[in-house]
Amino acid sequence: MSGKLFLCATPIGNLEDITFRVLRTLKEVDLIAAEDTRNSIKLLNHFDIHTPMTSYHEYNKIDKARTLIEKMQQGQNIALITDAGTPGISDPGEELVAMCYESGIEVTSLPGPAACITALTLSGLSTRRFAFEAFLPSDKKERRAVLEELKDETRTIILYEAPHRLVKTLAELYEVLGNRRMTLCRELTKRYETAFRSTLEELLAYYGKEEPKGECVLVIEGRSRKEMEEEAQQEWSAMPLQEHMAYYENQGIARKEAMKLVAKDRGVGKRDIYQQLLDSKE
């Protein structure tokens, strides 16, 4: 029988956050694949775990995945851990998981810490719907494209950022998104954990004087649907009424139906549109 891949969530700061199930699994598997073995050995030593380790990271994720899959096909069970948090979330674990499914290898995920969820629940912003973007792309063109997509995002937005890039990222977000409410979480679960509930503008001013420290999670309020509707109504209302009607009628839409659509676009009643059209004829 083939072995199995266990995705094991590890602490993002506080070692007490590891689960009993993860500890048992790390002791029982044949091999642990770790993003950085030098970092993970500290965790294993702390919990007196002596299972052999091998590296699995961004720069060997495809070739090493093939090797790991071969081992599992031979019957070995392998645990995958990242430096901190849940494997597959903003790390190369997703590649190994996909390749396991293609090879018929069973995969299971052991729940535990994840910085994005920890920050979201701590933020004080809406948690019902959210968009996780991890780190913004380093390529300027791609980065700008993602920011433009986020401009009209109505869900709460979650981003990761390193301290040395924080001010630049906050400035870009302010330029594209405007002055949104947000919570900046840093050093999550650690001794100096902080959650700044503020705005993009205020945080830019603060970090203009203070040096950013610690890995950060940015939780940003999504755009208001009402605000978007009002903005769209203003744009439609600026268009001449006859031109607005023609926009729909030229698509083969009947005049009565076009009037309904125009009324909806402008945020007024159909009767108002009818009367304005009558007045324009007169």
Side-chain angles (χ1 to χ4, degrees):
M1 289 180 63
S2 294
K4 190 173 179 179
L5 178 67
F6 296 82
L7 306 176
C8 296
T10 53
I12 57 177
N14 193 320
L15 293 180
E16 293 179 0
D17 291 334
I18 200 163
T19 69
F20 289 122
R21 185 182 174 202
V22 166
L23 288 175
R24 176 176 56 78
T25 299
L26 292 178
K27 290 176 181 178
E28 292 178 353
V29 293
D30 300 293
L31 182 66
I32 297 171
E35 186 174 8
D36 187 336
T37 56
R38 295 166 301 179
N39 181 66
S40 295
I41 194 63
K42 300 172 187 175
L43 176 75
L44 300 189
N45 286 341
H46 182 83
F47 290 107
D48 196 28
I49 297 171
H50 304 287
T51 306
M53 259 198 308
T54 187
S55 63
Y56 178 77
H57 49 70
E58 182 65 30
Y59 304 103
N60 72 354
K61 62 184 180 182
I62 302 300
D63 290 337
K64 194 57 174 284
R66 294 192 183 104
T67 301
L68 295 175
I69 286 170
E70 284 179 10
K71 290 180 180 297
M72 286 183 279
Q73 287 173 332
Q74 293 165 7
Q76 290 192 32
N77 289 319
I78 295 178
L80 178 66
I81 59 175
T82 182
D83 279 350
T86 301
I89 302 295
S90 189
D91 83 6
E94 62 179 323
E95 298 284 354
L96 179 57
V97 172
M99 291 173 70
C100 279
Y101 279 116
E102 290 171 4
S103 302
I105 300 295
E106 186 180 352
V107 180
T108 189
S109 182
L110 283 59
C116 55
I117 300 300
T118 304
L120 177 65
T121 56
L122 185 62
S123 69
L125 298 173
S126 174
T127 60
R128 190 175 70 85
R129 300 170 63 249
F130 61 92
F132 175 59
E133 282 291 337
F135 290 93
L136 290 172
S138 54
D139 178 79
K140 287 184 179 180
K141 188 175 180 181
E142 189 181 353
R143 187 182 182 92
R144 188 70 188 187
V146 171
L147 287 169
E148 286 296 329
E149 287 177 2
L150 294 177
K151 185 176 181 179
D152 291 327
E153 178 59 69
T154 58
R155 295 171 292 180
T156 301
I157 301 163
I158 307 173
L159 302 171
Y160 289 161
E161 194 50 278
H164 65 280
R165 293 193 300 263
L166 179 63
V167 174
K168 177 187 175 184
T169 297
L170 288 173
E172 289 176 319
L173 289 166
Y174 180 72
E175 178 189 351
V176 177
L177 307 185
N179 190 29
R180 302 275 184 93
R181 288 196 308 162
M182 68 164 289
T183 301
L184 177 72
C185 301
R186 54 179 294 278
E187 297 292 274
L188 287 169
T189 76
K190 299 177 184 177
R191 182 179 179 183
Y192 297 107
E193 173 185 280
T194 49
F196 296 108
R197 196 159 189 265
S198 188
T199 65
L200 279 165
E201 187 175 49
E202 289 171 351
L203 284 168
L204 265 174
Y206 176 80
Y207 282 114
K209 300 174 184 177
E210 300 290 333
E211 181 184 356
K213 294 179 181 179
E215 296 298 317
C216 301
V217 183
L218 286 60
V219 187
I220 306 163
E221 185 176 48
R223 193 172 180 195
S224 161
R225 278 202 179 92
K226 184 179 179 182
E227 179 186 294
M228 291 174 67
E229 287 172 4
E230 289 174 350
E231 187 177 291
Q233 287 171 4
Q234 289 174 3
E235 291 176 0
W236 282 117
S237 297
M239 179 186 289
L241 183 57
Q242 294 291 355
E243 186 179 330
H244 197 167
M245 286 290 295
Y247 170 79
Y248 288 113
E249 290 180 311
N250 290 341
Q251 298 176 48
I253 296 172
R255 190 164 181 79
K256 284 187 177 181
E257 186 60 30
M259 288 170 62
K260 287 182 184 178
L261 294 170
V262 168
K264 183 179 178 182
D265 288 343
R266 293 175 175 246
V268 298
K270 179 185 171 184
R271 188 180 294 275
D272 294 329
I273 299 300
Y274 179 72
Q275 189 59 52
Q276 287 180 51
L277 291 171
L278 277 180
D279 292 344
S280 65
K281 281 185 178 181
E282 293 174 3

